Each structure stands twice: as C-alpha cells, then as structure tokens.
Amino acid sequence: MPPPPQKKRWESMAKGLVLGALFTSFLLLLYSYAMPPLHAGLASTTPEATAPCSPAPGELETVTPANGSAGGCQPRRDIVFMKTHKTASSTLLNILFRFGQKHGLKFAFPNGRNDFDYPAFFARSLVQDYRPGACFNIICNHMRFHYDEVRGLVPPNATFITVLRDPARLFESSFHYFGPVVPLTWKLSGRDKLAEFLQDPDRYYDPSGYNAHYLRNLLFFDLGYDSGLDPGSPRVQEHILEVERRFHLVLLQEYFDESLVLLKDLLCWELEDVLYFKLNARRDSPVPRLSGDLYRRATAWNMLDALLYRHFNASFWRKVEAYGRERMAREVAALRRANERMRRICIDGGRAVDAAAIQDSAMQPWQPLGTKSILGYNLKKSIGQRHAQLCRRMLTPEIQYLMDLGVNLWVTKLWKLIRDFLRW
C-alpha cells in the first residue's frame, strides 16, 4: 500500500532540507578550497614529463596513426580525455592512470575533488598545483569541456579523445544513477519512475532545476554546449563538426573493444596498455530495460545527443573500414583473450560482485546516493609477482586510484563522511 500523500510531501521536504543544509555547508567550506593543497600530486620531473607547452594552434595538428611496422611510430604520451558520464569512461580512465603511472607522466588533476568543479566549465585554475605556464601530459577527469582552457595545458601535438554512448541507454543509466540527486525526480511516485517520466517529460523537467543537466542531452552538455538547443538549429551541426575537428578519436561504448584497438593504433601503444576490467558497472535493475516505445521516447528526448551519436557512429565505422575489418577482428580477439587471461589471474571468483561482497575497502567503488548498485571486484589473494601490481592497478576504483596518485580529495572525503554518517 503506497504511503499517504502527506507523508510523501514530508519526505520530499526532508530531503530538500537535508540537501539544502549540506549545500550551504559546502559553500562555506569553499573558502579553503582556493588555498594551496597540503600535498603535491603526481608530477614527474623526468624529461618526458616536462614537454613545453606553446600557444594553442588554430586547429589540431595532424596525428598519424601507427602503420603497424616495426619502429614505424613512437608511443604518444600527451593525451586529453574528455571524460563523459555513464559511457564506460571510468574503465578508460583506469587505462590512462596506468599508462601515466608506468611512464612517470604528469597529470593535470582536480584540486579537492575527483572532477574539475563539474558542472561548471573547466578552467586552468582548477588544476591542482597549477601555475601559469604549467604544462601537463594527461588530462582525464570529469569536466564540462572548455577547449581553449584545456588546450593551453598540453603540448600542441596532444591527442584529444572522448567516448559516446547510445543516448537512450545513457539516459537510462544516468536517470537511475543520478536520479536521487535531481529533485525534479522526487515528484515521480510509481515503481518505474523512468517510464513515468518518459510518458510526459515536459511535465516534470525544468532546465533550470538543480542537477537537471543529468536528464537531457548529457553528452552535449559535457562537451560544453547548450543542451537545450532546438534540434533543428544550425548551431547543432556546427557543434558536431567542431567536435570532429577537435577530437582525433571518438570511441563508442557499445563497441568498446574495437574502440580500444583504434586507440592503441592511434597512440602506438602495446596490447598490455589497453587491457581492462569493466569498472563502475551497475547491477541489473529490477525495472526492465528501455525497449520499444520507451526507447524511442528516450531517444527523442535526447535528440541533440542522438544527432551527435549518429554522426560519430558513422565516422567510427569509416575508421574501422580504413583499419581493415579482418585486421580489426584479429586485434579484438587478441584483446579479449588477453583480458580473459588477466581475469583468471586477478579476480577472485572470476566476476564482479555486489558492494556487500567486496572484502577490501580499497576495492570498494563509489556508490550513487541511497543505494549500493555499483559492482566491484575481489582481488585474488595469491597472485604471482609478475602480475600482482598490474592486477591491483586494473581493479582499483577511480577514487582510490586518485589517492594513490597523490591527489588532494578533501571535498570528496568530506562528502563521503557525511554520507556515511547519514547512512546514504
């Protein structure tokens, strides 16, 4: 029997008061946010990590992919990864963390938290230990993209990459993950809130609402554009073509292995550099996945993202054709065999488990508000010396890896203490 309307109103008011109080407290703490960090981040002083930055060129410099011949290319170490939300980007982040750590590269990390003050636009001043003229090898944490600000932090020949996902599936994932911190979803009372929302989204959606950006055209928003544009506006196509000019490779979540093969070729990396375990994956929801009419409604609601995705889905397969279909099949098979081998070596039980079954707190992933739906792993207790370090790094969640790299995460830690205290 559903709770009476009065009780639901009180519950909604209570949630609002708690979030409001926490947000106010957070603003008060921002005074110290601008203070210098207490400890330095990972900043190698080796020559390969201190390549000089020069004024940003008008257009991206040409990046030539590896041709597969011995000595035909040199590994590329200057990389900007525009980390989009709910697109397997945490898995790719782990790959970049490992590569940078292995080669002693210099990361541009956030100061105080695990993102660059998202959803505000990226600014250089948000980088931990930033000084005018500073130059970095890798930028890869969540941000709202601002090309000019990012461009000035990396060498002119840096490689820009990002990853997209089918917009309806992304919307579904974002709705379930971020819904509890989007107050407009609190009006939804049914068991399947997503279906209820999609029946009449304009009834519930307010573009100016707190965290509303998570629930419409999130890819467009993350890339720094207006997520409320009319899909028929010529600015939409202009923005899409701008993304194409700025990014050397746009990966697709649905074809992640093929994407990593293209990335490996573009960056002239080794197979070991792109091995992965799926991180930050959500437990299957008791509510059925979008299908049929609801899938079409979700796509239409996120039409800017749909146009973006269609464009880069087409260009992705052109890149696959240029790479060679048979060659791609061989490389994907090799990657999957190597990943399977690492799974047998590293993972206790051979699969991801619920948060409650994770034995080591260092392997516990960050969870969405109010639920523990993100899966994690248990590291095998007896791993040979040859693979022990790689296994641990491949399985370490984002927050713990950032701390391992020396990032000052005081805001993230404070938020975790508050959540633990309130049992959220």
Side-chain angles (χ1 to χ4, degrees):
M1 182 176 180
Q6 186 176 11
K7 181 180 178 182
K8 286 171 29 179
R9 283 197 300 271
W10 278 109
E11 288 176 349
S12 182
M13 287 174 62
K15 289 178 182 177
L17 287 170
V18 171
L19 282 176
L22 291 174
F23 185 67
T24 302
S25 300
F26 177 75
L27 289 177
L28 292 173
L29 287 167
L30 285 180
Y31 172 80
S32 57
Y33 184 79
M35 299 298 288
L38 297 176
H39 53 278
L42 180 72
S44 171
T45 57
T46 58
E48 67 182 1
T50 55
C53 287
S54 59
E59 295 292 338
L60 283 173
E61 298 200 0
T62 303
V63 172
T64 305
N67 57 19
S69 61
C73 62
Q74 292 296 318
R76 301 188 183 276
R77 295 174 176 178
D78 302 314
I79 302 159
V80 173
F81 171 42
M82 173 51 227
K83 187 178 189 291
T84 48
H85 286 86
K86 313 315 297 176
T87 57
S89 61
S90 293
T91 302
L92 191 51
L93 191 72
N94 180 274
I95 290 172
L96 293 172
F97 283 169
R98 283 166 21 221
F99 184 84
Q101 191 174 27
K102 176 181 176 181
H103 295 282
L105 303 182
K106 186 176 180 181
F107 288 89
F109 283 131
N111 185 21
R113 47 195 279 182
N114 63 310
D115 61 56
F116 289 105
D117 205 19
Y118 184 88
F121 279 103
F122 176 81
R124 297 174 216 192
S125 59
L126 297 171
V127 174
Q128 180 172 298
D129 299 327
Y130 171 73
R131 298 291 183 273
C135 190
F136 301 87
N137 300 109
I138 299 177
I139 306 177
C140 54
N141 290 83
H142 274 310
M143 66 172 76
R144 190 172 186 204
F145 192 57
H146 190 299
Y147 178 73
D148 292 335
E149 286 290 305
V150 171
R151 198 71 195 78
L153 290 175
V154 291
N157 63 343
T159 303
F160 282 63
I161 61 173
T162 190
V163 57
L164 306 181
R165 182 182 184 183
D166 178 302
R169 300 296 177 211
L170 185 149
F171 172 75
E172 179 182 27
S173 181
S174 182
F175 189 97
H176 288 306
Y177 189 93
F178 296 112
V181 294
V182 184
L184 64 88
T185 67
W186 299 351
K187 307 173 191 175
L188 301 162
S189 57
R191 175 176 173 270
D192 190 347
K193 292 187 175 187
L194 180 59
E196 185 179 349
F197 178 88
L198 286 174
Q199 292 300 326
D200 189 4
D202 288 315
R203 175 185 174 190
Y204 303 103
Y205 186 74
D206 176 4
S208 63
Y210 182 66
N211 279 339
H213 61 277
Y214 286 121
L215 299 188
R216 192 172 202 188
N217 295 313
L218 183 54
L219 293 172
F220 232 67
F221 183 89
D222 283 354
L223 288 164
Y225 301 118
D226 180 359
S227 57
L229 282 175
D230 183 330
S233 168
R235 292 171 60 197
V236 175
Q237 186 62 18
E238 290 170 8
H239 292 332
I240 292 172
L241 294 177
E242 187 172 66
V243 173
E244 187 169 57
R245 289 195 303 273
R246 289 175 171 176
F247 288 84
H248 298 90
L249 179 63
V250 176
L251 297 79
L252 299 182
Q253 187 260 5
E254 290 81 5
Y255 303 98
F256 196 67
D257 290 345
E258 291 85 352
S259 294
L260 288 182
V261 169
L262 292 178
L263 181 67
K264 171 177 166 287
D265 185 61
L266 175 68
L267 299 178
C268 193
W269 283 8
E270 300 295 330
L271 179 63
E272 181 180 303
D273 296 326
V274 296
L275 298 180
Y276 72 94
F277 298 127
K278 189 175 182 181
L279 300 179
N280 213 33
R282 181 167 56 96
R283 184 179 62 237
D284 289 339
S285 171
V287 178
R289 293 189 72 194
L290 290 178
S291 61
D293 181 58
L294 288 179
Y295 177 88
R296 289 188 290 272
R297 286 175 180 268
T299 302
W301 177 246
N302 295 277
M303 184 50 66
L304 301 183
D305 281 1
L307 295 170
L308 178 76
Y309 184 83
R310 289 169 191 169
H311 180 94
F312 285 102
N313 183 52
S315 67
F316 179 86
W317 291 108
R318 287 195 295 270
K319 290 180 186 293
V320 171
E321 289 292 343
Y323 185 84
R325 290 269 184 173
E326 290 185 6
R327 181 184 172 202
M328 174 62 73
R330 291 194 302 270
E331 291 293 321
V332 166
L335 174 61
R336 289 174 179 170
R337 284 194 302 270
N339 281 335
E340 174 61 20
R341 179 170 175 267
M342 292 305 296
R343 182 189 67 80
R344 293 194 302 268
I345 292 171
C346 302
I347 300 174
D348 189 22
R351 62 181 180 84
V353 296
D354 285 337
I358 299 172
Q359 299 162 10
D360 183 352
S361 61
M363 296 289 117
Q364 188 70 246
W366 185 268
Q367 298 290 344
L369 196 65
T371 182
K372 291 187 179 294
S373 59
I374 302 301
L375 303 175
Y377 298 93
N378 286 311
L379 188 67
K380 275 189 175 179
K381 293 179 173 58
S382 56
I383 301 174
Q385 186 176 358
R386 180 183 174 189
H387 296 103
Q389 184 183 77
L390 178 58
C391 284
R392 177 163 285 278
R393 288 179 177 179
M394 288 181 69
L395 291 172
T396 299
E398 176 183 343
I399 301 298
Q400 291 90 324
Y401 212 140
L402 285 168
M403 290 190 289
D404 288 347
L405 294 173
V407 183
N408 177 11
L409 292 178
W410 71 268
V411 175
T412 303
K413 291 177 181 177
L414 176 62
W415 179 231
K416 184 179 186 305
L417 286 173
I418 293 170
R419 288 182 56 179
D420 289 347
F421 178 76
L422 295 174
R423 297 181 181 178
W424 277 359

